[in-house]
mmCIF file with all atom_site columns, all heavy atoms in Angstrom:
data_model
loop_
_atom_site.group_PDB
_atom_site.id
_atom_site.type_symbol
_atom_site.label_atom_id
_atom_site.label_alt_id
_atom_site.label_comp_id
_atom_site.label_asym_id
_atom_site.label_entity_id
_atom_site.label_seq_id
_atom_site.pdbx_PDB_ins_code
_atom_site.Cartn_x
_atom_site.Cartn_y
_atom_site.Cartn_z
_atom_site.occupancy
_atom_site.B_iso_or_equiv
_atom_site.pdbx_formal_charge
_atom_site.auth_seq_id
_atom_site.auth_comp_id
_atom_site.auth_asym_id
_atom_site.auth_atom_id
_atom_site.pdbx_PDB_model_num
ATOM 1   N N   . VAL V 1 43  ? 51.226 87.786 91.610 1.00 0.00 ? 54  VAL V N   1
ATOM 2   C CA  . VAL V 1 43  ? 50.288 88.902 91.687 1.00 0.00 ? 54  VAL V CA  1
ATOM 3   C C   . VAL V 1 43  ? 51.023 90.186 92.058 1.00 0.00 ? 54  VAL V C   1
ATOM 4   O O   . VAL V 1 43  ? 50.810 91.236 91.449 1.00 0.00 ? 54  VAL V O   1
ATOM 5   C CB  . VAL V 1 43  ? 49.173 88.590 92.709 1.00 0.00 ? 54  VAL V CB  1
ATOM 6   C CG1 . VAL V 1 43  ? 48.340 89.829 92.989 1.00 0.00 ? 54  VAL V CG1 1
ATOM 7   C CG2 . VAL V 1 43  ? 48.311 87.469 92.208 1.00 0.00 ? 54  VAL V CG2 1
ATOM 8   N N   . LEU V 1 320 ? 46.341 95.902 91.558 1.00 0.00 ? 331 LEU V N   1
ATOM 9   C CA  . LEU V 1 320 ? 46.601 94.753 92.426 1.00 0.00 ? 331 LEU V CA  1
ATOM 10  C C   . LEU V 1 320 ? 45.363 93.856 92.524 1.00 0.00 ? 331 LEU V C   1
ATOM 11  O O   . LEU V 1 320 ? 45.456 92.642 92.397 1.00 0.00 ? 331 LEU V O   1
ATOM 12  C CB  . LEU V 1 320 ? 47.026 95.230 93.826 1.00 0.00 ? 331 LEU V CB  1
ATOM 13  C CG  . LEU V 1 320 ? 48.481 95.693 93.926 1.00 0.00 ? 331 LEU V CG  1
ATOM 14  C CD1 . LEU V 1 320 ? 48.760 96.281 95.284 1.00 0.00 ? 331 LEU V CD1 1
ATOM 15  C CD2 . LEU V 1 320 ? 49.438 94.533 93.655 1.00 0.00 ? 331 LEU V CD2 1
ATOM 16  N N   . LEU V 1 321 ? 44.193 94.482 92.692 1.00 0.00 ? 332 LEU V N   1
ATOM 17  C CA  . LEU V 1 321 ? 42.963 93.695 92.779 1.00 0.00 ? 332 LEU V CA  1
ATOM 18  C C   . LEU V 1 321 ? 42.683 92.973 91.469 1.00 0.00 ? 332 LEU V C   1
ATOM 19  O O   . LEU V 1 321 ? 42.333 91.796 91.446 1.00 0.00 ? 332 LEU V O   1
ATOM 20  C CB  . LEU V 1 321 ? 41.776 94.606 93.139 1.00 0.00 ? 332 LEU V CB  1
ATOM 21  C CG  . LEU V 1 321 ? 41.756 95.170 94.555 1.00 0.00 ? 332 LEU V CG  1
ATOM 22  C CD1 . LEU V 1 321 ? 40.541 96.074 94.746 1.00 0.00 ? 332 LEU V CD1 1
ATOM 23  C CD2 . LEU V 1 321 ? 41.725 94.047 95.574 1.00 0.00 ? 332 LEU V CD2 1
ATOM 24  N N   . TYR V 1 322 ? 42.865 93.707 90.378 1.00 0.00 ? 333 TYR V N   1
ATOM 25  C CA  . TYR V 1 322 ? 42.566 93.139 89.062 1.00 0.00 ? 333 TYR V CA  1
ATOM 26  C C   . TYR V 1 322 ? 43.449 91.926 88.798 1.00 0.00 ? 333 TYR V C   1
ATOM 27  O O   . TYR V 1 322 ? 42.972 90.856 88.403 1.00 0.00 ? 333 TYR V O   1
ATOM 28  C CB  . TYR V 1 322 ? 42.798 94.207 87.996 1.00 0.00 ? 333 TYR V CB  1
ATOM 29  C CG  . TYR V 1 322 ? 42.558 93.741 86.578 1.00 0.00 ? 333 TYR V CG  1
ATOM 30  C CD1 . TYR V 1 322 ? 41.314 93.916 85.974 1.00 0.00 ? 333 TYR V CD1 1
ATOM 31  C CD2 . TYR V 1 322 ? 43.571 93.143 85.842 1.00 0.00 ? 333 TYR V CD2 1
ATOM 32  C CE1 . TYR V 1 322 ? 41.088 93.491 84.689 1.00 0.00 ? 333 TYR V CE1 1
ATOM 33  C CE2 . TYR V 1 322 ? 43.355 92.715 84.551 1.00 0.00 ? 333 TYR V CE2 1
ATOM 34  C CZ  . TYR V 1 322 ? 42.121 92.888 83.978 1.00 0.00 ? 333 TYR V CZ  1
ATOM 35  O OH  . TYR V 1 322 ? 41.901 92.470 82.708 1.00 0.00 ? 333 TYR V OH  1
ATOM 36  N N   . ILE V 1 323 ? 44.748 92.101 89.033 1.00 0.00 ? 334 ILE V N   1
ATOM 37  C CA  . ILE V 1 323 ? 45.679 91.004 88.756 1.00 0.00 ? 334 ILE V CA  1
ATOM 38  C C   . ILE V 1 323 ? 45.413 89.844 89.710 1.00 0.00 ? 334 ILE V C   1
ATOM 39  O O   . ILE V 1 323 ? 45.412 88.677 89.305 1.00 0.00 ? 334 ILE V O   1
ATOM 40  C CB  . ILE V 1 323 ? 47.143 91.484 88.892 1.00 0.00 ? 334 ILE V CB  1
ATOM 41  C CG1 . ILE V 1 323 ? 47.423 92.648 87.949 1.00 0.00 ? 334 ILE V CG1 1
ATOM 42  C CG2 . ILE V 1 323 ? 48.118 90.346 88.646 1.00 0.00 ? 334 ILE V CG2 1
ATOM 43  C CD1 . ILE V 1 323 ? 47.385 92.308 86.504 1.00 0.00 ? 334 ILE V CD1 1
ATOM 44  N N   . ALA V 1 324 ? 45.144 90.180 90.982 1.00 0.00 ? 335 ALA V N   1
ATOM 45  C CA  . ALA V 1 324 ? 44.875 89.118 91.953 1.00 0.00 ? 335 ALA V CA  1
ATOM 46  C C   . ALA V 1 324 ? 43.644 88.322 91.528 1.00 0.00 ? 335 ALA V C   1
ATOM 47  O O   . ALA V 1 324 ? 43.641 87.091 91.566 1.00 0.00 ? 335 ALA V O   1
ATOM 48  C CB  . ALA V 1 324 ? 44.674 89.715 93.335 1.00 0.00 ? 335 ALA V CB  1
ATOM 49  N N   . ALA V 1 325 ? 42.608 89.036 91.110 1.00 0.00 ? 336 ALA V N   1
ATOM 50  C CA  . ALA V 1 325 ? 41.384 88.342 90.717 1.00 0.00 ? 336 ALA V CA  1
ATOM 51  C C   . ALA V 1 325 ? 41.611 87.508 89.465 1.00 0.00 ? 336 ALA V C   1
ATOM 52  O O   . ALA V 1 325 ? 41.185 86.360 89.383 1.00 0.00 ? 336 ALA V O   1
ATOM 53  C CB  . ALA V 1 325 ? 40.264 89.353 90.494 1.00 0.00 ? 336 ALA V CB  1
ATOM 54  N N   . SER V 1 326 ? 42.282 88.081 88.482 1.00 0.00 ? 337 SER V N   1
ATOM 55  C CA  . SER V 1 326 ? 42.398 87.364 87.218 1.00 0.00 ? 337 SER V CA  1
ATOM 56  C C   . SER V 1 326 ? 43.432 86.242 87.289 1.00 0.00 ? 337 SER V C   1
ATOM 57  O O   . SER V 1 326 ? 43.295 85.229 86.629 1.00 0.00 ? 337 SER V O   1
ATOM 58  C CB  . SER V 1 326 ? 42.729 88.333 86.084 1.00 0.00 ? 337 SER V CB  1
ATOM 59  O OG  . SER V 1 326 ? 44.047 88.796 86.216 1.00 0.00 ? 337 SER V OG  1
ATOM 60  N N   . GLU V 1 327 ? 44.472 86.397 88.103 1.00 0.00 ? 338 GLU V N   1
ATOM 61  C CA  . GLU V 1 327 ? 45.538 85.392 88.104 1.00 0.00 ? 338 GLU V CA  1
ATOM 62  C C   . GLU V 1 327 ? 45.408 84.378 89.240 1.00 0.00 ? 338 GLU V C   1
ATOM 63  O O   . GLU V 1 327 ? 45.968 83.302 89.179 1.00 0.00 ? 338 GLU V O   1
ATOM 64  C CB  . GLU V 1 327 ? 46.905 86.086 88.234 1.00 0.00 ? 338 GLU V CB  1
ATOM 65  C CG  . GLU V 1 327 ? 47.217 87.080 87.165 1.00 0.00 ? 338 GLU V CG  1
ATOM 66  C CD  . GLU V 1 327 ? 47.872 86.421 85.952 1.00 0.00 ? 338 GLU V CD  1
ATOM 67  O OE1 . GLU V 1 327 ? 48.539 85.398 86.121 1.00 0.00 ? 338 GLU V OE1 1
ATOM 68  O OE2 . GLU V 1 327 ? 47.686 86.953 84.853 1.00 0.00 ? 338 GLU V OE2 1
ATOM 69  N N   . TRP V 1 328 ? 44.734 84.785 90.291 1.00 0.00 ? 339 TRP V N   1
ATOM 70  C CA  . TRP V 1 328 ? 44.852 83.994 91.507 1.00 0.00 ? 339 TRP V CA  1
ATOM 71  C C   . TRP V 1 328 ? 43.499 83.555 92.051 1.00 0.00 ? 339 TRP V C   1
ATOM 72  O O   . TRP V 1 328 ? 43.171 82.377 92.051 1.00 0.00 ? 339 TRP V O   1
ATOM 73  C CB  . TRP V 1 328 ? 45.623 84.839 92.542 1.00 0.00 ? 339 TRP V CB  1
ATOM 74  C CG  . TRP V 1 328 ? 45.995 84.148 93.798 1.00 0.00 ? 339 TRP V CG  1
ATOM 75  C CD1 . TRP V 1 328 ? 46.117 82.787 93.990 1.00 0.00 ? 339 TRP V CD1 1
ATOM 76  C CD2 . TRP V 1 328 ? 46.308 84.751 95.042 1.00 0.00 ? 339 TRP V CD2 1
ATOM 77  N NE1 . TRP V 1 328 ? 46.485 82.519 95.254 1.00 0.00 ? 339 TRP V NE1 1
ATOM 78  C CE2 . TRP V 1 328 ? 46.619 83.692 95.943 1.00 0.00 ? 339 TRP V CE2 1
ATOM 79  C CE3 . TRP V 1 328 ? 46.376 86.068 95.499 1.00 0.00 ? 339 TRP V CE3 1
ATOM 80  C CZ2 . TRP V 1 328 ? 46.979 83.926 97.272 1.00 0.00 ? 339 TRP V CZ2 1
ATOM 81  C CZ3 . TRP V 1 328 ? 46.733 86.296 96.806 1.00 0.00 ? 339 TRP V CZ3 1
ATOM 82  C CH2 . TRP V 1 328 ? 47.030 85.239 97.688 1.00 0.00 ? 339 TRP V CH2 1
ATOM 83  N N   . TRP V 1 329 ? 42.721 84.520 92.518 1.00 0.00 ? 340 TRP V N   1
ATOM 84  C CA  . TRP V 1 329 ? 41.510 84.189 93.260 1.00 0.00 ? 340 TRP V CA  1
ATOM 85  C C   . TRP V 1 329 ? 40.504 83.394 92.441 1.00 0.00 ? 340 TRP V C   1
ATOM 86  O O   . TRP V 1 329 ? 39.741 82.612 92.979 1.00 0.00 ? 340 TRP V O   1
ATOM 87  C CB  . TRP V 1 329 ? 40.857 85.474 93.796 1.00 0.00 ? 340 TRP V CB  1
ATOM 88  C CG  . TRP V 1 329 ? 41.704 86.167 94.791 1.00 0.00 ? 340 TRP V CG  1
ATOM 89  C CD1 . TRP V 1 329 ? 42.668 85.598 95.572 1.00 0.00 ? 340 TRP V CD1 1
ATOM 90  C CD2 . TRP V 1 329 ? 41.693 87.548 95.117 1.00 0.00 ? 340 TRP V CD2 1
ATOM 91  N NE1 . TRP V 1 329 ? 43.251 86.549 96.367 1.00 0.00 ? 340 TRP V NE1 1
ATOM 92  C CE2 . TRP V 1 329 ? 42.673 87.763 96.116 1.00 0.00 ? 340 TRP V CE2 1
ATOM 93  C CE3 . TRP V 1 329 ? 40.940 88.634 94.689 1.00 0.00 ? 340 TRP V CE3 1
ATOM 94  C CZ2 . TRP V 1 329 ? 42.927 88.999 96.664 1.00 0.00 ? 340 TRP V CZ2 1
ATOM 95  C CZ3 . TRP V 1 329 ? 41.177 89.873 95.231 1.00 0.00 ? 340 TRP V CZ3 1
ATOM 96  C CH2 . TRP V 1 329 ? 42.166 90.054 96.206 1.00 0.00 ? 340 TRP V CH2 1
ATOM 97  N N   . LEU V 1 330 ? 40.462 83.656 91.149 1.00 0.00 ? 341 LEU V N   1
ATOM 98  C CA  . LEU V 1 330 ? 39.440 83.003 90.340 1.00 0.00 ? 341 LEU V CA  1
ATOM 99  C C   . LEU V 1 330 ? 39.967 81.776 89.614 1.00 0.00 ? 341 LEU V C   1
ATOM 100 O O   . LEU V 1 330 ? 39.261 81.174 88.829 1.00 0.00 ? 341 LEU V O   1
ATOM 101 C CB  . LEU V 1 330 ? 38.849 83.998 89.339 1.00 0.00 ? 341 LEU V CB  1
ATOM 102 C CG  . LEU V 1 330 ? 38.159 85.223 89.946 1.00 0.00 ? 341 LEU V CG  1
ATOM 103 C CD1 . LEU V 1 330 ? 37.630 86.134 88.865 1.00 0.00 ? 341 LEU V CD1 1
ATOM 104 C CD2 . LEU V 1 330 ? 37.017 84.791 90.855 1.00 0.00 ? 341 LEU V CD2 1
ATOM 105 N N   . ARG V 1 331 ? 41.208 81.416 89.886 1.00 0.00 ? 342 ARG V N   1
ATOM 106 C CA  . ARG V 1 331 ? 41.820 80.262 89.220 1.00 0.00 ? 342 ARG V CA  1
ATOM 107 C C   . ARG V 1 331 ? 40.950 79.013 89.299 1.00 0.00 ? 342 ARG V C   1
ATOM 108 O O   . ARG V 1 331 ? 40.826 78.275 88.334 1.00 0.00 ? 342 ARG V O   1
ATOM 109 C CB  . ARG V 1 331 ? 43.169 79.941 89.855 1.00 0.00 ? 342 ARG V CB  1
ATOM 110 C CG  . ARG V 1 331 ? 44.326 80.717 89.318 1.00 0.00 ? 342 ARG V CG  1
ATOM 111 C CD  . ARG V 1 331 ? 44.841 80.160 88.021 1.00 0.00 ? 342 ARG V CD  1
ATOM 112 N NE  . ARG V 1 331 ? 45.644 81.215 87.408 1.00 0.00 ? 342 ARG V NE  1
ATOM 113 C CZ  . ARG V 1 331 ? 46.051 81.220 86.166 1.00 0.00 ? 342 ARG V CZ  1
ATOM 114 N NH1 . ARG V 1 331 ? 45.743 80.231 85.366 1.00 0.00 ? 342 ARG V NH1 1
ATOM 115 N NH2 . ARG V 1 331 ? 46.761 82.220 85.708 1.00 0.00 ? 342 ARG V NH2 1
ATOM 116 N N   . ARG V 1 352 ? 36.405 81.168 84.217 1.00 0.00 ? 363 ARG V N   1
ATOM 117 C CA  . ARG V 1 352 ? 36.994 82.255 85.010 1.00 0.00 ? 363 ARG V CA  1
ATOM 118 C C   . ARG V 1 352 ? 36.723 83.612 84.362 1.00 0.00 ? 363 ARG V C   1
ATOM 119 O O   . ARG V 1 352 ? 36.311 84.569 85.010 1.00 0.00 ? 363 ARG V O   1
ATOM 120 C CB  . ARG V 1 352 ? 38.490 82.000 85.100 1.00 0.00 ? 363 ARG V CB  1
ATOM 121 C CG  . ARG V 1 352 ? 39.287 83.067 85.782 1.00 0.00 ? 363 ARG V CG  1
ATOM 122 C CD  . ARG V 1 352 ? 40.706 82.608 85.989 1.00 0.00 ? 363 ARG V CD  1
ATOM 123 N NE  . ARG V 1 352 ? 41.359 82.317 84.726 1.00 0.00 ? 363 ARG V NE  1
ATOM 124 C CZ  . ARG V 1 352 ? 42.448 82.944 84.280 1.00 0.00 ? 363 ARG V CZ  1
ATOM 125 N NH1 . ARG V 1 352 ? 42.985 83.892 85.005 1.00 0.00 ? 363 ARG V NH1 1
ATOM 126 N NH2 . ARG V 1 352 ? 42.999 82.622 83.137 1.00 0.00 ? 363 ARG V NH2 1
ATOM 127 N N   . PHE V 1 356 ? 34.752 86.765 85.821 1.00 0.00 ? 367 PHE V N   1
ATOM 128 C CA  . PHE V 1 356 ? 35.551 87.984 85.918 1.00 0.00 ? 367 PHE V CA  1
ATOM 129 C C   . PHE V 1 356 ? 34.848 89.150 85.227 1.00 0.00 ? 367 PHE V C   1
ATOM 130 O O   . PHE V 1 356 ? 34.747 90.257 85.774 1.00 0.00 ? 367 PHE V O   1
ATOM 131 C CB  . PHE V 1 356 ? 36.917 87.708 85.276 1.00 0.00 ? 367 PHE V CB  1
ATOM 132 C CG  . PHE V 1 356 ? 37.925 88.765 85.548 1.00 0.00 ? 367 PHE V CG  1
ATOM 133 C CD1 . PHE V 1 356 ? 38.139 89.230 86.831 1.00 0.00 ? 367 PHE V CD1 1
ATOM 134 C CD2 . PHE V 1 356 ? 38.683 89.301 84.517 1.00 0.00 ? 367 PHE V CD2 1
ATOM 135 C CE1 . PHE V 1 356 ? 39.076 90.204 87.080 1.00 0.00 ? 367 PHE V CE1 1
ATOM 136 C CE2 . PHE V 1 356 ? 39.613 90.272 84.761 1.00 0.00 ? 367 PHE V CE2 1
ATOM 137 C CZ  . PHE V 1 356 ? 39.806 90.727 86.043 1.00 0.00 ? 367 PHE V CZ  1
ATOM 138 N N   . ILE V 1 359 ? 31.989 90.342 87.279 1.00 0.00 ? 370 ILE V N   1
ATOM 139 C CA  . ILE V 1 359 ? 32.447 91.138 88.422 1.00 0.00 ? 370 ILE V CA  1
ATOM 140 C C   . ILE V 1 359 ? 32.773 92.563 87.975 1.00 0.00 ? 370 ILE V C   1
ATOM 141 O O   . ILE V 1 359 ? 32.372 93.541 88.614 1.00 0.00 ? 370 ILE V O   1
ATOM 142 C CB  . ILE V 1 359 ? 33.683 90.486 89.081 1.00 0.00 ? 370 ILE V CB  1
ATOM 143 C CG1 . ILE V 1 359 ? 33.278 89.172 89.746 1.00 0.00 ? 370 ILE V CG1 1
ATOM 144 C CG2 . ILE V 1 359 ? 34.301 91.433 90.108 1.00 0.00 ? 370 ILE V CG2 1
ATOM 145 C CD1 . ILE V 1 359 ? 34.438 88.415 90.349 1.00 0.00 ? 370 ILE V CD1 1
#
Side-chain angles (χ1 to χ4, degrees):
Chain V
V54 170
L331 282 174
L332 290 179
Y333 179 93
I334 302 293
S337 71
E338 302 273 332
W339 187 22
W340 295 335
L341 299 179
R342 275 280 162 194
R363 175 172 61 119
F367 192 49
I370 292 176

